[in-house]
Amino acid sequence: MAGNVKLSVAGPGGAAVADKRIACQDCTLFQLCLPLGIGEDELALLDEVITARRSLKRGEMLFRGGAPFHAIYAVRSGSLKTYTIMQDGREQVTGFYLPGELVALDAISLGRHPSSAKALESSSICEFSFQDFERMGARVPGLQRQMLRVMSRELLNDELLLLLLGKKSAEERLAAFLLSLAIRFRQRGFSATDYNLSMSRSDIGNYLGLAVETVSRLFTRFQQDGLLRVERRRIRIHDIDRLSLLAGDTALSGSQRIDSAEVPQSER
Amino acid sequence: MAGNVKLSVAGPGGAAVADKRIACQDCTLFQLCLPLGIGEDELALLDEVITARRSLKRGEMLFRGGAPFHAIYAVRSGSLKTYTIMQDGREQVTGFYLPGELVALDAISLGRHPSSAKALESSSICEFSFQDFERMGARVPGLQRQMLRVMSRELLNDELLLLLLGKKSAEERLAAFLLSLAIRFRQRGFSATDYNLSMSRSDIGNYLGLAVETVSRLFTRFQQDGLLRVERRRIRIHDIDRLSLLAGDTALSGSQRIDSAEVPQSER
DNA sequence: CGATCGTTTGATAGCGCTCAACCGTCGTGG
DNA sequence: CCACGACGGTTGAGCGCTATCAAACGATCG
């Protein structure tokens, strides 16, 4: 993409970095946020919708469940988890978000956030005003089109996850989870076989519907079987094929399921 | 509902009916398909997108997994199930669809249907050309807006279902499922406490991640506990409050979670 | 250096699956 | 009209997977 980052101005007061804006074209992750089907000029327009850029430190909240919904967020760097608090007080992790993925899509219909979002590590986030976004959608057909696609993709992922939780064993779940991360990392240009988990065992277990102890045991078992090497939160996958096999076939979760093969994109 | 249903055509019966079109305004369920925010004139426009009306008999397919995606479907009467075939041959039920609910939203991103859809009983279906729909979306902002909301809602439901499958016991799952049906039926003007299941025990178990036997046992237990009466596929709920309690709190699934209380709808 | 949190490992028990048999209902054909 | 078979549903017995309880360990941080 373009060479230099064109910073345009400061917004409302806040921490120094937080309110800097950068042009969308310069966002290397942009193609992942709302890929394809948007022309040069439309891209420039999209810039207008970016309300703010926020920096979060590990453990900081992006938004809280129940809060009114105004914006959609795109992860630029770092990672988030979303979760809800059940009425019995327990926490239920509903998703993990990597760079290039959109957060808060599930808040549109109710007009408030059904879940909370918290940074798993230092992260940088783009904030889109949804109102502006919709207004612009009227002028730029490609934008809303793309949005529908992104949401549909999300739906698809949820379905896969549903299948995972409904039908798969603990082993299959964890394998599918690790595989999902691998695929998502690869799509972002990172290594698919060597990455760091930004979430705790507890988060993983919670997300996959497993006890922490089970997750831990599975990690050691996978390691004993020579599938991978795990050291603290560092994952080194040795035999990704066997891992895929273990996962059943479901790539699962997050935000994409498609590998290199072909770019989705309906008929056009 | 409205006084007379202006039948533009013959009843069930044969193939004859399949390609007849009726005006959208006459669809009592229309408000449920794409509720709110659409004016009179826009409504008329929407009529154009309705490609066809199809009648399915029990067991007939609406579309098959893998087939290219061209249309979105709205259930007018009857009910459907969607499911995928896992590579080991087993079937995984991914959803049940009642009148007023939209099917195939998950196909948009890939351009082909990730799952198959089959009629659980005699059903009548509206078919929207997605291509036309998108074209029209450019002219009618409210349309795409509404579509985003519907999809967001769907996302929300999937999240609830995830929570269900990840964290809830068999008992809670079935309770939540029955409750979900109750709520959805009520929204459609049917009785919430007295309805027929159009799906088999096997479908229910498959959907909820439970063995058929477990579902069966739970039904009899619920009945012994005075929660409800079940006779074949007829469900009579006696103590819906206790059922809610059992369900944990999750209304779950299908297509709506909101009860009478208030109509969702973002800020506006 | 002690406290706390995240992780691992072990022992035990229970929920829900599996296997198996039986029953009721329905559709079909003699 | 009844026999039959098929299918869906119910019920029972046993076991395996995974949660739970318990404890110790390692890392991080004040």
Side-chain angles (χ1 to χ4, degrees), chain A residues 87 92 106 152 159 167 248, chain B residues 87 92 106 159 167 206 248:
Chain A
Q87 92 282 20
Q92 163 68 30
D106 56 2
S152 173
E159 258 169 47
K167 291 254 175 319
Chain B
Q87 92 282 20
Q92 162 69 30
D106 57 2
E159 258 168 46
K167 291 252 176 319
N206 191 309

Side-chain angles (χ1 to χ4, degrees), chain B residues 153 182-188 192 251 256-264:
Chain B
R153 168 84 59 90
I183 291 174
R184 286 151 80 187
F185 278 128
R186 187 177 53 198
Q187 287 173 332
R188 258 121 258 207
Q256 2 275 114
R257 170 231 170 77
I258 304 83
D259 357 25
S260 44
E262 49 168 351
V263 181

Side-chain angles (χ1 to χ4, degrees), chain A residues 14 50 151 155 182 198 227 262:
Chain A
I50 307 261
M151 297 193 71
L155 235 30
S198 58
L227 264 174
E262 50 167 351

Side-chain angles (χ1 to χ4, degrees), chain B residues 13-30:
Chain B
V17 201
D19 50 274
K20 294 300 189 338
R21 294 171 46 174
I22 78 164
C24 246
Q25 294 94 324
D26 297 334
C27 173
T28 50
L29 296 167
F30 178 71

Side-chain angles (χ1 to χ4, degrees), chain A residues 87 92 105-106 108-110 114 134 144-145 149 152 155-156 159 161-162 166-167 206 209 248-249 264-265, chain B residues 87 92 105-106 108-110 114 134 144-145 149 152 155-156 158-159 162 166-167 206 209 248-249 264-265:
Chain A
Q87 92 282 20
Q92 163 68 30
L105 261 22
D106 56 2
I108 298 175
S109 76
L110 289 181
E134 280 205 313
Q144 290 228 17
R145 282 181 41 136
R149 273 168 185 68
S152 173
L155 235 30
L156 191 55
E159 258 169 47
L161 193 50
L162 243 14
K167 291 254 175 319
N206 191 311
D249 119 270
Q265 171 176 4
Chain B
Q87 92 282 20
Q92 162 69 30
L105 261 22
D106 57 2
I108 297 175
S109 76
L110 289 181
E134 281 206 313
Q144 290 228 17
R145 281 182 41 136
R149 273 169 185 66
S152 173
L155 235 30
L156 191 56
D158 278 359
E159 258 168 46
L162 282 190
K167 291 252 176 319
N206 191 309
D249 121 89
Q265 171 176 4

Side-chain angles (χ1 to χ4, degrees), chain B residues 1-264:
Chain B
M1 312 267 142
N4 305 342
V5 181
K6 175 178 55 175
L7 289 183
S8 42
V9 203
V17 201
D19 50 274
K20 294 300 189 338
R21 294 171 46 174
I22 78 164
C24 246
Q25 294 94 324
D26 297 334
C27 173
T28 50
L29 296 167
F30 178 71
Q31 43 176 335
L32 286 168
C33 301
L34 287 172
L36 311 165
I38 299 186
E40 273 296 313
D41 39 345
E42 297 170 342
L43 200 63
L45 271 177
L46 190 56
D47 232 7
E48 297 173 15
V49 227
I50 307 260
T51 312
R53 186 170 158 221
R54 298 182 53 180
S55 285
L56 295 178
K57 282 199 276 291
R58 176 192 153 96
E60 286 182 333
M61 310 285 301
L62 180 55
F63 53 78
R64 289 178 192 278
F69 163 70
H70 295 117
I72 286 176
Y73 304 90
V75 179
R76 280 176 61 82
S77 68
S79 53
L80 303 181
K81 72 169 173 182
T82 53
Y83 60 94
T84 58
I85 306 290
M86 321 203 312
Q87 92 282 20
D88 62 10
R90 286 182 310 171
E91 174 178 318
Q92 162 69 30
V93 175
T94 53
F96 299 110
Y97 295 84
L98 301 186
E101 299 179 338
L102 294 181
V103 190
L105 261 22
D106 57 2
I108 297 175
S109 76
L110 289 181
R112 45 187 69 245
H113 291 282
S115 50
S116 303
K118 180 184 283 189
L120 291 170
E121 56 193 315
S122 294
S123 304
S124 140
I125 312 288
C126 272
E127 181 179 313
F128 296 75
S129 156
F130 183 64
Q131 210 175 355
D132 292 354
F133 180 84
E134 281 206 313
R135 264 198 277 276
M136 171 166 325
R139 306 208 308 269
V140 186
L143 195 57
Q144 290 228 17
R145 281 182 41 136
Q146 206 46 47
M147 195 63 174
L148 282 184
R149 273 169 185 66
V150 169
M151 296 193 71
S152 173
R153 168 84 59 90
E154 206 70 20
L155 235 30
L156 191 56
N157 285 319
D158 278 359
E159 258 168 46
L160 290 174
L161 193 49
L162 282 190
L163 193 153
L164 193 80
L165 290 181
K167 291 252 176 319
K168 305 292 187 93
S169 68
E171 201 180 59
E172 292 172 307
R173 294 186 201 184
L174 187 59
F177 175 69
L178 294 174
L179 201 56
S180 151
L181 287 181
I183 291 174
R184 286 151 80 187
F185 278 128
R186 187 177 53 198
Q187 287 173 332
R188 258 121 258 207
F190 301 116
S191 167
T193 55
D194 189 340
Y195 56 82
N196 276 298
L197 299 171
S198 58
M199 67 292 287
S200 69
R201 302 285 194 272
S202 162
D203 283 336
I204 296 174
N206 191 309
Y207 178 62
L208 294 177
L210 301 172
V212 199
E213 295 93 328
T214 303
V215 173
S216 183
R217 273 184 253 272
L218 284 172
F219 269 129
T220 57
R221 172 134 54 99
F222 282 172
Q223 176 156 325
Q224 286 169 353
D225 293 354
L227 265 175
L228 48 77
R229 231 169 83 63
V230 49
E231 188 183 350
R232 216 155 151 50
R233 295 192 172 180
R234 174 68 164 272
I235 302 289
R236 243 82 62 93
I237 299 177
H238 292 146
D239 193 340
I240 200 166
D241 294 327
R242 203 140 58 86
L243 194 65
S244 300
L245 228 55
L246 248 188
D249 121 89
T250 312
L252 148 293
S253 152
S255 217
Q256 2 275 114
R257 170 231 170 77
I258 304 83
D259 357 25
S260 44
E262 49 168 351
V263 181

